[in-house]
């Protein structure tokens, strides 16, 4: 998974600069092994979900502060399902 999730911190920094938002990203599960074909299939949908979460889930700093939140949003990327060996 690291081939995919290692791109997210840079993408987040670029999105923050582009839209004037502040966010920190915490990535978990980058060491999960996934078949290359599956990973290539998941790459675009995962990036779309990541971008959509940023666009709609993180408010500008002044809006966050007015709501009593920290100006910097914290976002966590982690697997929802853990696979176990059979």
């Amino acid at each position: 998974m690291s081939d995919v999730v290692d791109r997210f911190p840079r993408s987040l920094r670029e999105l923050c600069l582009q839209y004037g938002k502040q966010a920190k990203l915490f990535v978990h599960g980058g060491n999960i092994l996934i078949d290359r074909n599956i990973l290539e299939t998941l790459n675009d949908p995962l990036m779309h979900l990541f971008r959509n979460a940023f666009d709609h889930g993180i408010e500008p700093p002044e809006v966050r502060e007015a709501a009593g939140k920290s100006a910097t949003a914290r976002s966590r990327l982690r697997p929802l399902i853990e696979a176990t060996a059979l």
Side-chain angles (χ1 to χ4, degrees), residues 11-64:
S11 295
L12 181 66
R13 283 192 303 275
E14 291 172 355
L15 288 169
C16 284
L17 288 172
Q18 183 178 357
Y19 292 101
K21 296 181 179 181
Q22 298 174 10
K24 290 183 181 180
L25 179 64
F26 301 90
V27 179
H28 305 276
N31 59 344
I32 296 173
L33 298 176
I34 295 181
D35 180 81
R36 170 68 60 197
N37 292 327
I38 294 172
L39 193 59
E40 288 175 2
T41 302
L42 291 175
N43 188 39
D44 287 342
L46 285 174
M47 186 55 77
H48 176 76
L49 289 171
F50 176 77
R51 171 99 191 220
N52 198 41
F54 176 85
D55 288 343
H56 300 288
I58 297 176
E59 309 96 337
E62 59 276 357
V63 173
R64 292 182 57 79

